[in-house]
Amino acid sequence: MSVLIVGSTALDSIKTPKAENPRLLGGSASHAAVAASFFSPVKLIGVVGEDFPKNYVDLFRRHKIDLSGLQIQPGKTFHWSGEYEVNMNNRRTLLTELGVFENFTPHLPEAHKKSQFVLLANIAPALQHHVLDQMKKPKFVVADTMDLWLNIALADLVQLLKRIDGFVLNDSEAHQLTKEDNVFAALKKIHRMGPKYVIIKKGSHGSILSSPRGFFICPAYPLHNVCDPTGAGDSFVGGMMGYLAAAKGTVDANIRRAMIYGSVVASFCCEGFGLNSTTKARRADIEKRVKELEKLTKF
Amino acid sequence: MSVLIVGSTALDSIKTPKAENPRLLGGSASHAAVAASFFSPVKLIGVVGEDFPKNYVDLFRRHKIDLSGLQIQPGKTFHWSGEYEVNMNNRRTLLTELGVFENFTPHLPEAHKKSQFVLLANIAPALQHHVLDQMKKPKFVVADTMDLWLNIALADLVQLLKRIDGFVLNDSEAHQLTKEDNVFAALKKIHRMGPKYVIIKKGSHGSILSSPRGFFICPAYPLHNVCDPTGAGDSFVGGMMGYLAAAKGTVDANIRRAMIYGSVVASFCCEGFGLNSTTKARRADIEKRVKELEKLTKF
């Protein structure tokens, strides 16, 4: 089955202690879509400006991503610029030029409305709602978010939680949302807000799933060299949704393994700037790291 | 087989946002010894003052801990006082009264010198050296440490690394020791300093082993309520050493499972003040959590 993915499609200018890379292909939907494409056909919903480089369109096409829901609007593509500190954990935003993203209204082509697996990647909760309004009985809807929306669109986000099956956020966002310092206490509160599946992302410490079948402690793949972690969280959830859409059986039966695959795609993402390393990975490379993770966690 | 454990034996006065508990049984050797005692006979090396409460001696005795190497000196027992912040991660020391600990010289009873499994729990590296000087061909020596020794006794610690099989430290100490931000890069450097087995403790994020058989990602047991994390790291390494000393087969074959048992004992430690919760745990409770961890990590 295919995955419908809505989110940001952007140009990222990223500075790390080691290098500077202008106008890379970025955005939550771009990372998630490429990650999901390793496992399932992907339908991308987003907006870019007339300046969006043709080679980035070609990149999406090479990944067989359906671009019929990608709007090309007069104006400039969303441009984000950020800088990482030496430890690669802390980053600061240098510049945000919304461009055509400012007035983005996601329109779903008719054929997209029946998608069974929907990923509302990180984007304003109002737009995530707008996509859901157009859907016809999706089977499994997951939303990602970021601290910005907790700060400026909390009411929209809280409403969204009642409409989705799965919610993905990082540990500091879970704390911000619930005021709970303990991650398991936070998970309990988030379930009460709606979603049956809640995943807390902890970067290099992996992630935790809380689901009807209990908790799952998902490891991160050990990386000796992190080049650029931008988009790792989007790759994780994108890979997970792609795997779930392709897998036979219930979400409950597949979600742990789906997280492992997401974790592995995220590891490739971190090894290069933007999508440079992710796009070079092959399915066999992914399977190899999944097998390694099996060995690394066995006792 | 038995485990020889040297470290601090102290009285801890601990303040958390919820409660205040004066003069609890504490110290690295106390926590490690009780943790190890679930699996193996333990020989404790330490020093206390004449004020050391009899009920704490009884507690050690109930855990069948050999106290022939515990010195009782004229003066006061080492007293540490600390306060935790709301998130239970950050703590600050309010008071340190060294007492008899200031002039502690560990003397090993003759029978102790042939111990095969030795845990040099957190204590000055010079004292860890002094214990090793008295040992006769131990089979497996593990040392723990803390940031203080990296700051004031780095040369001693670096020398110690050449004499031990396993080294346990937390992620910020690994960074401090190696100047590496990436934990796997840090592990590589620490191996070059001597130890074949290096374990990085990451608190609620679990721990990582780097060994001749590769990495092991060890989960922490999910705790919904952390009462007092003091001694959790000592309990972890104590439990691990106790399990290793009791297990048949090579260290390589057993160390992953030993870490899981250490992780579980540490989880009990966090659920009560001082050793209150650890001492209430039974072997069956430990086995139950080990089984849960198996389920929580399976994919």
Side-chain angles (χ1 to χ4, degrees):
Chain A
M1 244 176 270
S2 66
V3 187
L4 181 82
I5 297 178
V6 64
S8 60
T9 39
L11 299 174
D12 284 353
S13 295
I14 294 165
K15 204 173 160 182
T16 70
K18 286 184 186 158
E20 203 169 336
N21 276 268
R23 300 172 73 78
L24 297 156
L25 176 56
S28 62
S30 305
H31 280 282
V34 170
S37 75
F38 288 105
F39 313 101
S40 292
V42 175
K43 298 181 172 83
L44 178 65
I45 307 291
V47 65
V48 295
E50 288 162 326
D51 61 342
F52 193 67
K54 188 183 166 298
N55 58 324
Y56 291 165
V57 174
D58 294 342
L59 184 157
F60 284 140
R61 292 226 167 93
R62 276 201 303 282
H63 281 266
K64 303 198 177 6
I65 293 166
D66 180 334
L67 299 178
S68 57
L70 181 68
Q71 305 167 26
I72 302 171
Q73 301 278 2
K76 290 201 162 186
T77 303
F78 177 25
H79 179 214
W80 174 81
S81 171
E83 181 172 9
Y84 284 89
E85 283 177 23
V86 177
N87 68 14
M88 301 305 281
N89 286 322
N90 305 329
R91 79 172 178 203
R92 62 193 185 99
T93 293
L94 301 172
L95 180 90
T96 306
E97 296 168 314
L98 288 176
V100 296
F101 198 63
E102 193 161 6
N103 300 307
F104 175 42
T105 309
H107 294 302
L108 268 56
E110 209 48 43
H112 287 32
K113 296 181 181 175
K114 288 182 183 167
S115 297
Q116 296 284 285
F117 288 84
V118 180
L119 172 55
L120 308 170
N122 175 29
I123 195 172
L127 300 183
Q128 294 176 314
H129 275 289
H130 189 69
V131 168
L132 277 191
D133 293 341
Q134 298 169 68
M135 298 300 304
K136 292 174 181 163
K137 293 191 186 170
K139 186 181 160 188
F140 193 65
V141 179
V142 168
D144 197 353
T145 197
M146 73 183 289
D147 52 355
L148 176 67
W149 313 123
L150 290 166
N151 291 329
I152 68 167
L154 183 61
D156 284 352
L157 183 65
V158 168
Q159 280 304 315
L160 185 80
L161 293 182
K162 297 174 186 164
R163 304 182 68 187
I164 59 177
D165 304 290
F167 185 42
V168 178
L169 71 174
N170 71 31
D171 40 4
S172 66
E173 291 154 7
H175 168 67
Q176 192 180 339
L177 179 62
T178 63
K179 313 293 173 231
E180 286 288 348
D181 288 296
N182 180 291
V183 70
F184 298 98
L187 280 164
K188 215 170 173 177
K189 277 198 180 174
I190 299 169
H191 279 304
R192 273 192 239 125
M193 299 171 94
K196 237 167 112 177
Y197 302 84
V198 184
I199 293 173
I200 310 273
K201 296 177 288 183
K202 304 191 297 173
S204 63
H205 301 304
S207 57
I208 298 172
L209 163 74
S210 178
S211 79
R213 285 206 190 168
F215 297 121
F216 172 53
I217 300 173
C218 178
Y221 182 84
L223 286 179
H224 296 244
N225 210 342
V226 173
C227 174
D228 168 21
T230 314
D234 308 308
S235 302
F236 166 72
V237 67
M240 179 186 86
M241 285 299 277
Y243 183 88
L244 275 178
K248 281 175 190 156
T250 62
V251 167
D252 260 335
N254 295 315
I255 193 163
R256 290 172 168 227
R257 221 169 161 78
M259 286 172 68
I260 293 287
Y261 276 85
S263 195
V264 164
V265 180
S267 75
F268 286 109
C269 173
C270 291
E271 290 183 308
F273 275 95
L275 277 150
N276 291 352
S277 169
T278 315
T279 51
K280 275 183 203 126
R282 290 170 187 276
R283 182 66 189 254
D285 303 321
I286 294 170
E287 295 299 339
K288 199 178 155 206
R289 288 195 174 181
V290 167
K291 280 210 168 58
E292 279 183 73
L293 274 182
E294 276 170 6
K295 279 187 199 160
L296 286 169
T297 51
K298 203 173 256 177
F299 61 86
Chain B
M1 243 175 270
S2 65
V3 186
L4 180 83
I5 297 177
V6 64
S8 60
T9 39
L11 299 174
D12 284 353
S13 295
I14 295 166
K15 203 174 159 180
T16 70
K18 287 184 187 157
E20 204 169 337
N21 276 267
R23 301 173 74 79
L24 297 155
L25 175 55
S28 62
S30 306
H31 280 282
V34 171
S37 75
F38 288 105
F39 313 103
S40 291
V42 175
K43 298 182 173 81
L44 178 65
I45 306 292
V47 65
V48 295
E50 288 162 327
D51 61 342
F52 192 67
K54 188 185 166 295
N55 59 324
Y56 292 165
V57 175
D58 294 342
L59 186 156
F60 284 139
R61 291 226 167 94
R62 276 201 304 280
H63 281 267
K64 303 198 176 9
I65 294 166
D66 180 335
L67 300 179
S68 58
L70 181 68
Q71 304 167 27
I72 302 172
Q73 300 277 2
K76 290 202 164 187
T77 303
F78 177 25
H79 179 214
W80 175 81
S81 170
E83 181 173 7
Y84 284 89
E85 284 176 22
V86 177
N87 68 15
M88 302 305 282
N89 287 321
N90 305 328
R91 79 172 178 203
R92 61 193 188 98
T93 292
L94 300 173
L95 181 91
T96 306
E97 296 169 314
L98 288 176
V100 295
F101 198 63
E102 192 161 9
N103 298 308
F104 176 41
T105 309
H107 294 302
L108 268 55
E110 209 48 44
H112 288 31
K113 295 181 181 173
K114 288 182 180 168
S115 297
Q116 296 285 285
F117 287 83
V118 180
L119 172 55
L120 309 170
N122 175 29
I123 196 171
L127 299 184
Q128 294 176 315
H129 276 288
H130 189 68
V131 168
L132 278 191
D133 292 342
Q134 299 169 67
M135 298 299 307
K136 291 174 181 164
K137 295 193 186 169
K139 186 182 161 190
F140 192 66
V141 179
V142 168
D144 197 353
T145 196
M146 72 183 290
D147 52 356
L148 176 68
W149 313 123
L150 291 165
N151 291 328
I152 69 168
L154 184 61
D156 283 352
L157 183 65
V158 168
Q159 280 305 314
L160 184 80
L161 293 182
K162 297 174 187 165
R163 304 180 69 187
I164 58 177
D165 304 290
F167 185 43
V168 177
L169 70 174
N170 72 31
D171 39 6
S172 67
E173 290 155 8
H175 168 68
Q176 192 181 340
L177 179 62
T178 63
K179 313 293 172 230
E180 286 288 348
D181 288 295
N182 181 292
V183 69
F184 299 98
L187 280 164
K188 215 170 173 176
K189 277 199 178 172
I190 299 170
H191 279 304
R192 271 192 241 126
M193 299 172 93
K196 237 169 111 177
Y197 301 84
V198 184
I199 293 173
I200 310 271
K201 295 177 289 182
K202 304 192 297 174
S204 63
H205 301 304
S207 56
I208 298 172
L209 163 73
S210 178
S211 78
R213 287 206 188 168
F215 298 121
F216 171 53
I217 300 173
C218 178
Y221 182 83
L223 286 180
H224 297 244
N225 210 342
V226 173
C227 173
D228 168 21
T230 313
D234 307 309
S235 302
F236 166 72
V237 68
M240 179 186 87
M241 286 299 278
Y243 183 89
L244 275 177
K248 281 174 189 156
T250 63
V251 167
D252 260 335
N254 295 316
I255 193 163
R256 290 171 168 228
R257 219 167 164 78
M259 286 172 69
I260 292 288
Y261 276 85
S263 195
V264 164
V265 180
S267 75
F268 285 110
C269 172
C270 291
E271 289 183 308
F273 275 94
L275 277 151
N276 291 351
S277 170
T278 315
T279 50
K280 275 185 205 125
R282 290 171 186 275
R283 182 65 190 255
D285 303 321
I286 294 170
E287 295 298 339
K288 200 179 153 204
R289 288 195 174 180
V290 167
K291 280 211 167 58
E292 279 184 73
L293 275 181
E294 276 171 6
K295 280 188 197 161
L296 286 169
T297 51
K298 203 172 255 176
F299 61 87

